[in-house]
Amino acid sequence: MGRATHCGVFGALCVLMETFAFSGVQATPLDNPEAVIPPQCYTKTEGAYNPCYICHQSHPKGSRVNTLDDGELQGSYNFSAFGVKNRWSNLHKAIDDKDRLPTDLEMLAYVREDNYQALYKELKTRRHYEWIALQNLGLGKRAFDAQGFAKDGSHWIAFNYKPVPSSFWPTNGSADDVMIRLPAVFRQTEKGVYSRQIYLLNLSLVEIAIKDLQSIQIPDTDEQRLGLDLDGNGKLNRTTVLERRGNYIGGAVNIALQRQLYPTGTEFLHTLRYLNVTDRGNVVASRRLKEIRYTVKYKDLSEAALRYMYNIEKREKDQGRLPKYAWAKPVNRAGLNNKMGWNVQSWVEDSAGALRLASYEENLFCMGCHTTIGTTIDQSFAFPRKLDGAQGWGYINLRGMRDAPSFNEQDGEYLTYLKRVGGGDEFRQNQEMLIRWFDASGRLKSHELKNTDVKTLVMPSSQRAMALNKAYWRIVQEQSFTFGRDTVLGTAEHVFKKIDPENVPVLPVQRRYHYDLRLNWNAVR
């Protein structure tokens, strides 16, 4: 359920040495050198409940470029000597009457404020940060057109996707959105002239590569005008189909498509937001940002090179070495280098609510998911889950979205998750989801779930939304992100404070599952 390491009898020495040995990037000891193990990995599975399968996978040989093969970590608690203690103490810090929390009106006023513009103005004046270039991180139509293109001309593109179960469900604390941007050559004709149509076609080719598709639906396109046979029928006509091809098009015509890999220079922006409650009582994403997460692919690694890196990763775990990463160069240009070709950087709120650059340890929290798990496709989560083709371009919108199954599954992905986990979150702590989707005997209401859209499935009540906002606000006030930023209401009863590896129940083989991050959208059309 996390980064498996084996320090054995040398555990204490291993921790001491690794805590201070971060290639010169971290001068002081860390609260948690194993911050790559997220809080969810300390869930009590009790030999029956499996939230672990979403992250840890053993794929059939040759089926995936991600060859980490960590499926054995589903429910096995195979941690280092340091990692067996759960240092995410905020999970066990319940709110009581002594806490000075905002009123509902104060909280609403807070989440409705824009805290991005101040950061944008600052970044525009600082060397190495001009790249962000997104003036408006507003919601939906305020910032993006119907096809997801940023209205400020920054070339960021929003896309509609199904959030990963279950930390990214609004009912568990945050709304989010994700944007992608490709380098300039992917937005240009072969003569170097900007072309929105070329850009969208290259984005569609990226989607084909990442999802391993043979073809994809595109907006109605005149092939003759482009001089390109897009659908592969040997004619130049109007088409709504783009066939897989060996290379990208336009200015990127000499760049090859690589299976399940993004081209070098691909960028992602991921924002996490509070939950706003409208005057009508509807729960929506807030204007205020909790976090900004940015990733950029700085290096093109072949499949063979990635296999080598994943083998190194596994070897380091087996040797009991704690994780360490260096800052990208130039320093702080884009966070930590994940050694798989990507840099990862994040911003969080300071105690006054302004966005600030995350510290080394706060960034380390992100690296477990963007380096060391078997589920990801080229270190990404959201884009492989985009609605297929033309219908998936545009700002995220869960209303009316069906619960599409994962590849190789029959039932809806969320329905399957709730059944395997036995609750609406990894911790089985979300009481609202338990009441809403499980009967008094703990049996899932499968029929109701099958007739419910994603928005209804994962959106909390206004009361829960406000309580989650306040719980996270307290973490911001304390600046205690290194002790956990996942918000749970009440006492986390199903989470270990410390694990006894010799006596803890593990999941039997029949309760371990193969999971594909990608979705079969054809099954719900």
Side-chain angles (χ1 to χ4, degrees):
M1 293 180 69
R3 182 185 173 98
T5 55
H6 309 281
C7 287
V9 296
F10 299 104
L13 178 61
C14 176
V15 169
L16 182 62
M17 292 176 64
E18 296 274 15
T19 302
F20 288 93
F22 286 94
S23 303
V25 298
Q26 180 70 21
T28 57
L30 304 179
D31 289 321
N32 184 6
E34 279 278 35
V36 296
I37 304 176
Q40 289 78 6
C41 289
Y42 293 94
T43 297
K44 297 177 181 178
T45 66
E46 299 176 8
Y49 307 106
N50 184 357
C52 324
Y53 78 95
I54 295 295
C55 290
H56 302 298
Q57 298 302 312
S58 296
H59 298 287
K61 188 174 181 180
S63 66
R64 293 286 296 275
V65 174
N66 182 342
T67 57
L68 187 59
D69 192 17
D70 62 350
E72 77 280 357
L73 294 181
Q74 289 186 29
S76 66
Y77 304 102
N78 197 5
F79 296 152
S80 68
F82 186 88
V84 294
K85 181 178 179 181
N86 181 356
R87 287 167 170 78
W88 304 110
S89 55
N90 280 342
L91 282 178
H92 299 282
K93 189 176 180 181
I95 293 174
D96 59 36
D97 295 336
K98 297 178 182 178
D99 290 305
R100 167 63 180 94
L101 298 176
T103 65
D104 285 358
L105 288 177
E106 289 171 337
M107 196 72 241
L108 282 175
Y110 182 79
V111 304
R112 291 171 179 174
E113 292 174 346
D114 183 345
N115 63 338
Y116 172 70
Q117 283 303 309
L119 175 66
Y120 172 76
K121 291 176 182 177
E122 176 188 347
L123 295 181
K124 289 290 287 183
T125 63
R126 293 179 59 185
R127 188 182 178 192
H128 305 313
Y129 282 97
E130 302 88 349
W131 47 266
I132 198 166
L134 180 55
Q135 185 173 357
N136 188 352
L137 260 178
L139 301 166
K141 295 179 180 178
R142 296 178 183 175
F144 303 94
D145 68 18
Q147 285 189 314
F149 284 72
K151 292 181 177 180
D152 63 6
S154 61
H155 305 298
W156 287 101
I157 312 293
F159 55 90
N160 196 12
Y161 62 96
K162 188 181 176 193
V164 176
S166 67
S167 295
F168 292 105
W169 289 350
T171 185
N172 291 321
S174 301
D176 69 345
D177 53 25
V178 182
M179 286 70 70
I180 186 173
R181 182 167 61 181
L182 301 181
V185 292
F186 291 85
R187 315 173 209 147
Q188 299 170 351
T189 67
E190 291 187 55
K191 295 182 178 180
V193 178
Y194 172 77
S195 169
R196 177 181 173 122
Q197 190 173 52
I198 292 291
Y199 192 13
L200 193 58
L201 288 169
N202 276 326
L203 285 162
S204 299
L205 287 169
V206 170
E207 185 174 353
I208 284 174
I210 293 300
K211 295 180 178 179
D212 236 350
L213 302 174
Q214 186 55 43
S215 64
I216 206 165
Q217 184 188 35
I218 57 174
D220 184 63
T221 303
D222 186 349
E223 293 178 320
Q224 190 167 14
R225 184 175 179 182
L226 288 174
L228 293 170
D229 180 12
L230 300 175
D231 55 17
N233 68 356
K235 302 176 183 178
L236 295 182
N237 44 239
R238 300 200 72 87
T239 187
T240 57
V241 175
L242 176 63
E243 284 285 317
R244 190 185 190 108
R245 56 202 299 127
N247 286 40
Y248 292 96
I249 64 173
V253 69
N254 294 320
I255 300 175
L257 266 73
Q258 292 184 286
R259 183 176 74 109
Q260 297 176 13
L261 296 174
Y262 297 97
T264 299
T266 299
E267 301 168 280
F268 285 102
L269 268 180
H270 178 202
T271 77
L272 294 181
R273 300 169 184 266
Y274 289 87
L275 302 169
N276 183 21
V277 180
T278 69
D279 294 340
R280 295 185 177 183
N282 297 320
V283 178
V284 297
S286 71
R287 179 76 171 175
R288 172 174 289 277
L289 302 180
K290 286 181 170 182
E291 294 184 45
I292 299 176
R293 298 174 178 178
Y294 171 81
T295 59
V296 56
K297 187 168 186 178
Y298 70 89
K299 187 176 182 180
D300 189 14
L301 296 178
S302 66
E303 289 193 36
L306 284 169
R307 281 196 300 271
Y308 174 78
M309 293 305 299
Y310 281 121
N311 287 337
I312 291 293
E313 173 69 23
K314 188 171 179 60
R315 189 186 310 162
E316 289 180 353
K317 291 178 180 180
D318 292 341
Q319 291 173 348
R321 296 174 60 184
L322 296 182
K324 56 184 178 182
Y325 302 94
W327 287 112
K329 296 180 180 180
V331 175
N332 285 6
R333 193 286 189 188
L336 296 179
N337 181 339
N338 80 343
K339 299 181 284 191
M340 299 286 184
W342 291 84
N343 294 330
V344 181
Q345 177 66 71
S346 62
W347 286 261
V348 294
E349 290 179 281
D350 66 17
S351 59
L355 291 164
R356 64 165 176 82
L357 200 63
S359 69
Y360 181 92
E361 185 169 351
E362 290 162 346
N363 259 1
L364 189 61
F365 168 78
C366 304
M367 304 308 283
C369 290
H370 288 286
T371 304
T372 58
I373 61 174
T375 288
T376 56
I377 298 179
D378 202 0
Q379 313 304 314
S380 71
F381 291 90
F383 194 73
R385 304 172 58 79
K386 172 188 171 294
L387 270 72
D388 288 344
Q391 65 176 337
W393 297 115
Y395 192 78
I396 186 170
N397 180 12
L398 305 182
R399 185 183 299 277
M401 183 185 290
R402 306 307 301 172
D403 182 20
S406 299
F407 277 12
N408 305 314
E409 296 276 5
Q410 295 297 316
D411 291 331
E413 178 196 33
Y414 287 1
L415 185 156
T416 301
Y417 178 85
L418 294 174
K419 187 183 300 182
R420 291 174 177 173
V421 172
D425 65 334
E426 295 90 344
F427 310 120
R428 305 191 301 284
Q429 184 75 19
N430 188 327
Q431 296 301 312
E432 190 168 89
M433 290 288 278
L434 288 170
I435 293 169
R436 184 180 292 177
W437 301 119
F438 293 82
D439 64 23
S441 65
R443 183 174 299 177
L444 191 65
K445 300 176 183 177
S446 298
H447 180 72
E448 291 183 32
L449 279 160
K450 288 179 180 178
N451 294 286
T452 304
D453 71 348
V454 167
K455 181 178 175 64
T456 304
L457 262 169
V458 302
M459 202 61 68
S461 66
S462 58
Q463 294 81 8
R464 179 173 172 83
M466 293 303 294
L468 289 166
N469 285 340
K470 292 175 184 180
Y472 186 83
W473 179 88
R474 185 181 67 169
I475 293 172
V476 172
Q477 294 302 297
E478 297 171 343
Q479 291 291 283
S480 59
F481 299 111
T482 57
F483 299 108
R485 62 190 79 177
D486 292 82
T487 48
V488 297
L489 303 180
T491 303
E493 298 176 356
H494 305 296
V495 182
F496 286 109
K497 291 185 178 181
K498 189 172 182 179
I499 292 169
D500 178 359
E502 301 300 323
N503 297 306
V504 68
V506 297
L507 285 170
V509 173
Q510 64 268 27
R511 292 193 180 275
R512 299 181 186 182
Y513 310 103
H514 171 71
Y515 168 74
D516 197 314
L517 189 68
R518 298 167 296 180
L519 299 162
N520 181 8
W521 292 107
N522 290 325
V524 292
R525 285 179 180 169

